Amino acid sequence: MTERYVLDLQEVDETQVAVVGGKGAHLGGLSRIEGIRVPAGFCVTTDAFRRIMAEAPSLDDRLDQLSRLNPDDREAIRTLSAQIRRTIEGIAIPDDLTAAITRALARLGEQAAYAVRSSATAEDLPTASFAGQQDTYLNVAGPTAILQHVSRCWASLFTERAVTYRQRNGIDHRTVHMAVVVQRMVFPHASGILFTADPVTGNRKVATVDAGFGLGEALVSGLVNPDVFKVRHGEVVAKAIAAKQRAVHALPTGGTQEVAIDSRRQEQPALTDAQVVRLVQLGRRIEAHFGRPQDIEWCLVDDGFQIVQSRPITTLFPVPETGDQENHVYVSVGHQQMMTDPMKPLGLSMWQLTAMVPMHAAGGRLFVDVTRRLAAPASRAGLLDVMGRGDPLVRDALETVLDRDDFVPSLPDAGPGGPPTGGASATIETDPAIVTELIERSQVSIAALERDIRTKTGPALFEFLLEAFAEHKRVLSDPLSMQAIMAGMEATWWLNDTLQEWLGEKNAADTLTLSAPDNVTSEMGLALLDVADVIRPHSEVVAFLQGVEDEGFLDELAKLAGGTEARDAMEAYLDRYGMRCVGEIDITRPRWRERPTTLVPVLLDNVRNFEPGAAERRFEQGRRKAQQKEQDVLSRLRALPDGDRKADEAKRMIDRVRTFIGYREYPKYAIVSRYFVYKQALLEEAERLVQAGVLPQKEDIFYLTFQELHDVARSNQADDRLIQQRKDAFRSYHALTPPRVLTSDGEAVTGAYRRDDVPAGALIGLPVSAGTIEGRARVILDIAEADLEAGDILVTTFTDPSWSPLFVAVAGLVTEVGGLMTHGAVIAREYGLPAVVGVERATRLIRDGQRIRVHGTDGYVEILP
C-alpha cells in the first residue's frame, strides 16, 4: 500500500486537505481549472507524516508537555519545539516511503530542480491562513537532497512560530498533520502576488498586483519594494513602479542567492500593463473556482503565467448577502450601540427581531442598509446630519461614497426613503411628569412580561416570545418616548451651537447637564459607590472579596462578620442592575447577575479609592456646578444686546435639557431588562433540550438563530455539525475589524476628521465632554481586569452603559468608538469627565501606564513624554 504515501497533484483537489494539507489541496484544485498552469509535482501525504511520527514513541510525551505550556512562555516553547524538530529530522525515512518518493521523482525528471514546500492540514483555511508558519525550500536537486528537505518540512510543523500560533488559536497540536508538496522549479523573469480584492480597503472589484524581478522570495521576505498595480473592470487604474535594486535568483548548484539588478533595469516595470490585466483575468477565474477572494502567488515564465499558490484572503470583512446585483451602502450598528465585538447567532437574530429597522448580519456584526435614504436628497440631508452629530467619521465616510460617480443612484424625494432619521419632532412640554410616566409605562410592560412568560415552555414559549417582541417594538417606538429623547438631544445641540455663537463658548451643555435627574446609567455607577460604603468597614469581607473566583461567592458572605449586610447590598444592586453587562446588545453575553465576580474588581477599587458618602457628594457637586454654570451663562447673556430675550430662550432650553437628557439612557435599560427575561426563559428551554439529549450543553443554543432554535424545540432534533461550524466562524470573526461604513463592493470606508487645528502628533477624536485632564492612561479591554487609582484616565475600545461604574473612579475617558450622544459620552458629561471618543486605534497607540493629556473641549489626545 505504498501508493497512498504519494499522490500526483493532478489527482487531488481542495476537498482533500486532510490528505495533502491546505497548500497541496489548493494546488490540486488550481491545476484542474481550465487555462491555469501549475508547475508539475506531487504530494507526500499526511499518512507518510503519521508513519514518521509513529517511528519515535518519545514524541508523544513531548507533545503532551507542549500542549500544557503557556503560549507566553517563549523560552520553554523554543526549547521543546527545537527538540521535537531535531527528533523528526533524525528519523530515517523507511524504505517503502523512500521508494514511493523516488519513483514519483523519476516520472518528473530526477535531475531537475524542485521546490519542496510544507503543506499543513491547518493552513490556507477560510478562517486562519497560517501564512508563513511552515517552511519552503527552493531549487533542491537530486533524490537525496529532496528526501532531506521533506524531513525538514515535516519538522517545520513545530517551529516556535507555528506552535505559538496554534496555541493562541486554540488548535490542538495532535490534530494538525503535515504533507509536503514537491514541484518542478520554475525560473521566472518576474514573480509576485495577486490579491483579487484590495487587501487594504476590502474592495472586491479592485485587484492588486505586487511584482518584482526573479523569484517571489524577494517580495515575500521584504527584501525589495514591489511594483504595485491596481486593476478595476479590466484596466490598470493606478500603478507605482518601485526602484528594484535586488532580486533572488536560483543557483545552478541548488539553493538561491540575492543578486543586484542592473541600474538601467531597476526603474523598469516588472510587468507590462497588458500582462497585469491578463494576470488579473486568471485571478478572477481562480476566485470564481474557490468562491471567495484569493491571495495568489504567480510566476512569469516566457510570457506565460504559472500559479504556485492560492489561498483565501482571511482579513477581508464579509459583505452582507442581498441576492441582487445593486449597489448598497451599509452603516455599522455596533458603532452606534457601543459594541463592535462579534455577536453570536442568537444575539444577532434577537437584535434583528426587536430592532426598529431591518438589519443585515455579516462577520458577526449588524449593519443597516442606508442606500435608499442616501439616494433621495431630502432624506440624505437628514441622515448625514444625524450621523454627523453622532459620529463625524460615519458622515465623512458616507460623503466619500457619495462623491464617487454614480455609486449611489439618485432618486426623487418622493422615493421610498422611509421616515426622516430625526424621529418624531420634539413638540412636547418641558414637564418632568412626562419622564415619570414613561418610566412607569416601561416598568408595567416588563412586569407583565415577567408574569406571563413563567408558564410558557416548548414551542408555546417561542410563539409567546414573537408576541413579546411586537410589544418590545411598540414600547420602543412610543411617540412620546421618541419625543422626550429628541427634546433632550435637540436642546443639547441648541445650547452648544447658540452659546458658541452668542458667548464664544464651546460645549457649554457639557456643564449644564451635570448630575441631570432620572439617568439610570449614571445612577448605576453611583449606586456601586454606596455598596462600597456598606463593605468598607468590614475588613473580613474586603479580604474575602480580594480572593473571590467562584460565582457562588454571595452565599459564602453570610458566614463572615458583616457579610450579611454586604450580601444584601450586593443583591439589591443586582436586582436593579444585574441584567447589564459589557456588550449587552448580544443576549448571549453573561449578565452581572449570572457572573457577579465581574463587579468585584470595580467594587474593591471603590472601597480603596473613595471616602464614605462619595456618591451623594459627587451628585450634589455636579448639580451645584450645573446651577452655577446656568447663572453665569444667563447673566452674561443679559449683558448682551437683546440680552433678556436671549437669556429667556437659553433658560427655556436649559430647563428642557435637564428635564429630558437623563431619560436618553432609559430605553436601553428597558431593552436590556426585557432581554434578561427572554434569556432566562430560553436557557430553561435549553436545559430541557439537554435533559432530552437533544443538545450536549445549554450554551449551544447561542449558536442558533431564534428561528432555528424554535425549530429545534418543535422537532427535538439539532444539527451538531451546524453548531460546530458556527462556533468556528464566531471564533474567526474576532480577528476582523468591523468598518463604520461598508459597501456592497466590500470596501470598508473609514472616514477622516478633516481638521488642522490640533498639534502635530496628537490623536484626533470627537470632543464629547469638556475640560482638559492629564494623568496615567489605563488601557482596559475587560471591565473585570480593572485596577484603577484616583486620577487615572480610562482608555478602551468602546463603553456601553455597563462601564459606568468605572467612570466614577477615573478622571477622563478615551475610546475608539463613540459619538456625541452615545452612552459613554452622556455619562462622561453627567460626571464631568473630560472625554474624547472615536479615536482610531487608541488602545494600540496609547500604552498602558503612559501619561496623556485629554482635551475634552477640542477633541484630541496628547501622549506626553
Side-chain angles (χ1 to χ4, degrees), residues 173 184 194 214 326 334 374 485 509 603 678:
H173 301 299
R184 280 291 290 259
L194 156 64
E326 305 293 313
L374 283 176
I485 292 169
L603 193 53
Y678 306 152

Side-chain angles (χ1 to χ4, degrees), residues 150 200 821:
V150 167
V200 179
M821 284 296 165

Side-chain angles (χ1 to χ4, degrees), residues 451-486:
R451 184 187 66 234
D452 297 344
I453 205 167
R454 283 192 193 122
T455 54
K456 306 292 186 287
T457 176
L461 168 67
F462 290 87
E463 302 300 339
F464 171 80
L465 280 171
L466 287 170
E467 289 169 30
F469 297 162
E471 164 67 1
H472 181 122
K473 287 164 109 163
R474 191 192 65 71
V475 172
L476 264 189
S477 60
D478 177 341
L480 190 63
S481 176
M482 303 289 275
Q483 286 178 321
I485 292 169
M486 286 312 294

Side-chain angles (χ1 to χ4, degrees), residues 596-632:
T597 52
T598 310
L599 288 171
V600 171
V602 193
L603 193 53
L604 289 169
D605 281 347
N606 287 352
V607 168
R608 192 176 70 241
N609 294 334
F610 291 94
E611 297 292 317
E616 200 176 334
R617 275 199 308 280
R618 285 288 290 264
F619 189 78
E620 196 42 45
Q621 241 172 348
R623 210 175 57 78
R624 271 206 311 278
K625 262 195 201 163
Q627 252 175 347
Q628 284 160 1
K629 183 71 175 175
E630 176 179 335
Q631 286 162 2
D632 167 57

Side-chain angles (χ1 to χ4, degrees), residues 158-287:
F158 297 98
T159 60
E160 183 191 344
R161 197 173 58 217
V163 166
T164 308
Y165 189 88
R166 286 197 292 273
Q167 282 180 300
R168 289 200 194 290
N169 283 278
I171 296 167
D172 180 353
H173 301 299
R174 292 170 187 283
T175 61
V176 183
H177 300 116
M178 180 66 86
V180 181
V181 175
V182 180
Q183 265 180 303
R184 280 291 290 259
M185 188 70 192
V186 289
F187 301 102
H189 160 73
S191 58
I193 298 161
L194 156 64
F195 297 97
T196 63
D198 188 316
V200 179
T201 67
N203 194 327
R204 311 304 200 261
K205 299 267 174 77
V206 175
T208 302
V209 175
D210 289 6
F213 294 121
L215 291 166
E217 297 306 291
L219 300 191
V220 176
S221 63
L223 180 65
V224 296
N225 288 331
D227 296 340
V228 181
F229 301 86
K230 300 221 179 262
V231 176
R232 187 185 177 97
H233 301 318
E235 62 175 308
V236 175
V237 290
K239 61 180 163 184
I241 306 304
K244 298 168 289 296
Q245 291 165 350
R246 310 191 74 67
V248 174
H249 282 211
L251 289 169
T253 52
T256 60
Q257 88 176 119
E258 278 179 41
V259 295
I261 293 175
D262 182 319
S263 59
R264 287 176 306 230
R265 277 184 69 217
Q266 288 181 7
E267 305 275 349
Q268 277 181 3
L271 296 178
T272 66
D273 284 11
Q275 286 171 328
V276 170
V277 169
R278 200 166 83 224
L279 175 61
V280 170
Q281 284 167 347
L282 296 176
R284 292 279 175 233
R285 203 176 288 180
I286 294 168
E287 179 182 68

